[in-house]
């Protein structure tokens, strides 16, 4: 099992390291942890089907090819506050956001108040025992800070656009987001990831999400990278009393994509929805690892992930639900459903329930199979060509996971990508 003293790993870490003038206590702890943490291998249970060997052996640069316009990357007709990051760096010229009740800013240019807010919660929810999250905690300088004050409904969604175009050398970037939604407040966030060209790249992102009492957040991630792009994301959220958190993770592109999502229901009558869809082809590898922590009574969660796998692609879904002894009256439901289009595609599913309360309703289900031949025959019998019939069935299958998205322009974009993908 390689350690951080290995030459390849040391080179990987050294790219992201930089001199810090006044590192915080959290940063110092993360930097110290990097000296002892190991790179995950397939011998680790949580990484059994995901290899990062090639990723950590790649030499990265911060310089990519210039991007002068993002018009083609925008969501059509979508009115939103927009923050654009080009090749990992915030671009004021391509961004468009104002000053209002909702305070949102790129991390590198945050006001004193937002910077203080970020420092207060930096590392609060993320376990630095993972080498990638520790690396991000120690050295990430780009990202978004968003604060919605109490009793505020955001007038517009916030659209965070990450767009990159690597050159001849692999491009590496890190992002750190903090979203804090105040009491009795509501907000919507869309984050899209795009890669142009055929260059190699790696993103390492960490999100910390805090919902206070009776707040609501809808958070949509659209991962549409090139087939030479790797991505590892860690999203950790805490949901307070009567709060509602809806998160959607849609993966269309990327070479190796791993999404770790951890949510703690910390206040009574809180609710969370975790929906995801991944449409894979070629040699794509996508892993979704979710962990739900039901820590108090009377909370609910609903989790639905759907996958379409073609060619020699590989999908992984690992869903973990923990119900504490005091978390009576918990309702927690988990579903993983997948369709395999090729004999060479592979899907690994691992649902897990750990329940220590006795007055609960919890269930999980996982299915992996082929397209329903009877339904396909039914469509073809009505004059629909086989290729088009399969598209109709794939569309209907995936849309169930995203139909609850409230932003119609975003949903329209996702539908278009589903049709384009297959």
């Amino acid at each position: 099992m390689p350690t951080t003293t290995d030459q390849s790993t040391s080179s990987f870490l050294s790219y992201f390291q930089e001199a810090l003038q006044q590192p915080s206590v959290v940063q110092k702890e993360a930097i110290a942890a990097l000296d002892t943490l190991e790179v995950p291998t397939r011998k680790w249970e949580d990484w059994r089907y995901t290899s990062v060997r090639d990723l950590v052996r790649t030499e990265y640069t911060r310089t990519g090819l210039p991007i002068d316009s993002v018009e083609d990357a925008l969501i059509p007709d979508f009115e939103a506050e927009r923050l654009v990051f080009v090749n990992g760096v915030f671009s004021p010229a391509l961004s468009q956001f104002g000053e209002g009740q909702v305070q949102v800013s790129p991390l590198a240019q945050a006001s004193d108040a937002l910077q203080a807010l970020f420092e207060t919660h930096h590392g609060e929810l993320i376990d630095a025992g993972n080498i990638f999250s520790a690396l991000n905690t120690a050295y990430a300088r780009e990202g978004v800070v968003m604060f919605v004050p109490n009793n505020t409904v955001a007038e517009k969604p916030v659209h965070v656009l990450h767009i990159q175009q690597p050159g001849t050398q692999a491009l590496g970037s890190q992002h750190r987001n903090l979203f804090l939604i105040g009491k009795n407040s509501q907000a919507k966030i869309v984050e899209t990831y795009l890669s142009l060209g055929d260059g190699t790249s790696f993103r390492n992102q960490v999100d910390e999400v805090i919902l206070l009492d009776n707040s609501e957040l809808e958070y949509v991630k659209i991962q549409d990278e090139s087939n030479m792009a790797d991505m590892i994301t860690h999203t950790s959220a805490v949901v307070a009393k009567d709060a509602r958190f809806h998160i959607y993770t849609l993966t269309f592109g990327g070479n190796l994509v791993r999404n770790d999502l951890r949510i703690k229901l910390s206040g009574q009558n809180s609710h969370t929805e975790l929906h995801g869809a991944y449409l894979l082809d070629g040699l794509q590898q996508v892993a979704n690892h979710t962990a739900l922590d039901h820590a108090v009574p009377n909370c609910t969660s609903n989790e639905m992930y759907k996958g379409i796998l073609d060619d020699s692609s590989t999908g992984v879904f690992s869903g973990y639900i923990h119900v504490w002894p005091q978390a009576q009256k918990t309702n927690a439901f988990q579903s993983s459903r997948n369709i395999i289009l090729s004999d060479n595609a592979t899907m690994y599913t691992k649902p897990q329930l750990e329940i220590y309360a006795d007055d609960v309703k919890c269930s999980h289900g996982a299915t992996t199979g082929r397209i329903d031949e009877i339904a396909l025959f039914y469509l073809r019998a009505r004059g629909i060509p086989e290729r088009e019939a399969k598209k109709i069935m794939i569309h209907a299958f995936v849309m169930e996971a995203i139909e609850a998205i409230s932003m119609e322009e975003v949903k329209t974009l996702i539908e278009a990508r589903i049709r384009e993908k297959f």
Side-chain angles (χ1 to χ4, degrees):
M1 191 176 294
T3 68
T4 55
T5 58
D6 290 347
Q7 182 177 355
S8 60
T9 306
S10 298
S11 176
F12 169 75
L13 294 177
S14 66
Y15 160 74
F16 293 99
Q17 292 170 342
E18 59 182 86
L20 302 176
Q21 293 182 347
Q22 293 180 322
S24 66
V25 173
V26 172
Q27 287 176 308
K28 290 179 180 178
E29 292 174 349
I31 292 169
L34 288 172
D35 290 332
T36 61
L37 292 172
E38 298 177 334
V39 173
T41 73
R42 289 183 179 271
K43 294 180 180 179
W44 297 24
E45 181 61 28
D46 278 354
W47 294 80
R48 178 182 295 183
Y49 307 112
T50 306
S51 173
V52 295
R53 182 184 60 181
D54 292 339
L55 187 157
V56 299
R57 291 180 176 179
T58 300
E59 294 186 1
Y60 297 96
T61 179
R62 290 181 171 84
T63 305
L65 300 179
I67 297 173
D68 299 322
S69 173
V70 294
E71 289 301 317
D72 293 340
L74 299 181
I75 301 171
D77 304 318
F78 187 46
E79 293 291 330
E81 306 281 5
R82 184 171 76 239
L83 292 90
V84 179
F85 294 83
V86 175
N87 295 328
V89 179
F90 176 69
S91 173
L94 299 176
S95 301
Q96 187 175 338
F97 62 100
E99 296 183 2
Q101 283 185 298
V102 174
Q103 301 174 40
V104 60
S105 169
L107 177 58
Q109 301 178 18
S111 65
D112 290 344
L114 283 179
Q115 188 64 42
L117 182 74
F118 176 81
E119 294 296 338
T120 298
H121 297 286
H122 188 210
E124 187 175 67
L125 307 182
I126 295 294
D127 178 12
N130 175 289
I131 193 170
F132 296 106
S133 58
L135 185 63
N136 186 286
T137 298
Y139 297 111
R141 289 293 171 270
E142 294 284 353
V144 175
V145 183
M146 177 178 175
F147 172 54
V148 183
N150 294 344
N151 307 305
T152 301
V153 177
E155 294 182 5
K156 294 181 179 180
V158 172
H159 181 201
V160 183
L161 171 60
H162 303 275
I163 185 167
Q164 61 186 9
Q165 188 166 219
T168 56
Q169 190 171 350
L171 176 67
S173 62
Q174 293 201 107
H175 290 267
R176 185 84 178 207
N177 294 334
L178 171 66
F179 305 130
L180 196 157
I181 316 301
K183 295 181 180 179
N184 309 310
S185 297
Q186 299 176 21
K188 299 176 183 180
I189 300 168
V190 180
E191 197 161 17
T192 55
Y193 309 83
L194 298 170
S195 294
L196 307 178
D198 298 323
T200 301
S201 65
F202 169 58
R203 301 184 195 267
N204 183 33
Q205 179 166 319
V206 169
D207 313 304
E208 293 181 285
V209 182
I210 301 171
L211 284 80
L212 301 186
D213 293 355
N214 197 40
S215 64
E216 183 171 4
L217 175 63
E218 183 177 351
Y219 185 12
V220 181
K221 292 188 175 190
I222 304 174
Q223 300 167 335
D224 203 1
E225 302 275 31
S226 75
N227 288 336
M228 295 296 289
D230 296 329
M231 173 189 290
I232 294 179
T233 72
H234 293 80
T235 301
S236 189
V238 59
V239 187
K241 179 182 177 183
D242 297 316
R244 300 161 302 283
F245 181 39
H246 310 267
I247 182 167
Y248 302 84
T249 305
L250 297 312
T251 307
F252 297 104
N255 174 51
L256 169 65
V257 179
R258 178 177 169 118
N259 300 305
D260 282 1
L261 174 58
R262 302 182 182 279
I263 301 175
K264 181 177 182 179
L265 298 165
S266 65
Q268 291 202 41
N269 300 308
S270 59
H271 174 73
T272 186
E273 296 271 346
L274 298 78
H275 289 195
Y278 37 95
L279 288 79
L280 315 182
D281 58 12
L283 297 173
Q284 283 184 269
Q285 302 176 60
V286 174
N288 287 286
H289 293 251
T290 68
L292 274 169
D293 190 358
H294 281 263
V296 296
N298 301 304
C299 295
T300 57
S301 64
N302 184 32
E303 184 172 5
M304 179 191 296
Y305 276 74
K306 290 196 165 189
I308 302 288
L309 297 90
D310 201 1
D311 302 327
S312 297
S313 60
T314 301
V316 179
F317 173 79
S318 176
Y320 174 68
I321 298 175
H322 185 110
V323 181
W324 290 84
Q326 67 273 19
Q328 303 292 343
K329 305 293 183 182
T330 288
N331 283 0
F333 304 100
Q334 181 189 103
S335 173
S336 169
R337 297 172 60 192
N338 305 279
I339 291 177
I340 303 291
L341 301 179
S342 164
D343 291 338
N344 297 320
T346 306
M347 182 69 206
Y348 301 98
T349 304
K350 184 181 179 182
Q352 304 166 79
L353 299 179
E354 193 168 346
I355 302 171
Y356 296 97
D358 52 17
D359 187 5
V360 302
K361 293 181 180 179
C362 298
S363 68
H364 64 72
T367 61
T368 299
R370 301 282 187 172
I371 279 186
D372 188 332
E373 292 295 335
I374 295 177
L376 182 62
F377 174 80
Y378 178 87
L379 291 173
R380 295 190 64 192
R382 278 146 184 80
I384 300 175
E386 181 177 1
R387 183 179 177 83
E388 187 62 28
K390 286 184 177 180
K391 283 187 176 183
I392 292 172
M393 294 179 66
I394 288 172
H395 179 270
F397 177 80
V398 176
M399 283 302 296
E400 185 182 2
I402 66 170
E403 62 185 359
I405 293 176
S406 67
M407 295 167 281
E408 289 300 324
E409 300 87 353
V410 177
K411 193 187 300 185
T412 298
L413 173 71
I414 294 170
E415 287 189 81
R417 285 299 291 119
I418 293 171
R419 289 192 294 268
E420 292 169 8
K421 184 73 177 184
F422 292 106

